[in-house]
Amino acid sequence: MTETTERSAPRPEFTDAEAGAKEFPDSTARSYNYFTPAKRRQSHYEDVTVEVQPDPRHYLSQGWIYGFSDGRGGYPLDWTALKAWGSDRPEPERYPGSGGKGYDWPAHGWHEFRDPNEEWELTFYRYNSNVVRQINQNVETARQTKAFSQWSPNWVTFVERNVGAWMHVDHGFGLYVFANANRRAPTNMHNNAISVNSMHRIRFAQDLALYNLTLSEEIEGFDGSAHVETWNSDDAWQGVREVAEQITCIDDWCEAVFAVNVVFEPLVGELLRSNLVQQAAPRNGDYVTPTVVGAGEWDYAERDLRYTKAMFELLTNDKEFAEHNKSILDGWLSKWTERSIAAARRLQPIWSQPDAKAPRFEDGLDRAKSRFAEILSDLSLKSPKELSQ
């Protein structure tokens, strides 16, 4: 019989320094979350959007992984004159175990923004496919019922020149304002909202282009290229063209978004779409164009303006830079309101072109100004003196 030797081994001693020993407020949570949701529970939009873009002020411990020729990396905050709380803090010295040198996270307030539309890839494709499907059905029904034959001759000319000309505005803003601002904005939440805005613009320009081709086929004598001459040479449109081209040259990404969505759109875009085209079309036998133009109006009024207000409300109520931001925004308001009002007034002659007139230009402009003032009130901004022009 062999005797069994009893071996001794060190007994484990727990010191509460082991991984998982320390208890946190969410230690017993069954789901992982690294951000503060806007509501009690995080939404699917937040799960696929918030903090997807790395930022050394948050979690990118080894600094930006790409940069520019001047040595700056990532998304410099000085790409806009506006500031969110913590913007003036230096980037933390980050390395494994540094803990961000004691900064509270998030280190700057840009990351507080949440898009109220909750746009991400799935919602974008779903929304735009529904819009395009509805427009196509409306136009095809009009073709089958010969609805275009009911248009008055002057209205045909009005549509080929003035409705078609607006595609140049949307195409330019989509490609050279919002696509550019999307790259320069500092968080994924901004990137998603602004890129969707860009696609709305490009899609609506395409809607108008395809509609123009349909009318060229369906209406005898319809000049499908008249919008080009209108955009390039028609004096009534040169104010709009000038302001649109000036906006595409803005370097500050926040100013570009603000100039279009807060100033230009209510004073010029909605003035043309809602207070002229939508009003005059039915009086001239056209019940189709309002459905096409109305899709672009919904893009702006119910989606793009909504995220824009949420974005700038954070900046005008910022815990650290509210007054700084309001001062900058007041300057932008003064500049772009004056230019937009001048462009709107230069459009006045086209109100007299249809046989059956829309409501007076001055009445439409007053409604546009009132709408503009409401938007500014929501943003805690005062109406500029240029609005009285």
Side-chain angles (χ1 to χ4, degrees), residues 223-271:
D223 185 357
S225 63
H227 64 89
V228 178
E229 189 275 332
T230 299
W231 180 252
N232 289 334
S233 306
D234 190 333
D235 184 69
W237 276 90
Q238 295 318 294
V240 174
R241 178 184 173 187
E242 181 180 3
V243 176
E245 291 176 350
Q246 289 171 342
I247 291 175
T248 63
C249 296
I250 297 174
D251 184 63
D252 187 304
W253 69 270
C254 261
E255 182 181 1
V257 173
F258 185 84
V260 175
N261 284 352
V262 176
V263 185
F264 182 86
E265 270 300 308
L267 292 178
V268 181
E270 288 189 330
L271 174 68

Side-chain angles (χ1 to χ4, degrees), residues 3 7 12 44 64 110 131 143 158 172 322 330 341 374 388:
E3 183 177 347
R7 298 176 180 270
H44 196 95
W64 291 111
W110 290 109
V131 171
R143 294 179 65 167
F158 178 91
D330 284 342
I341 290 290
E374 290 176 2
S388 61

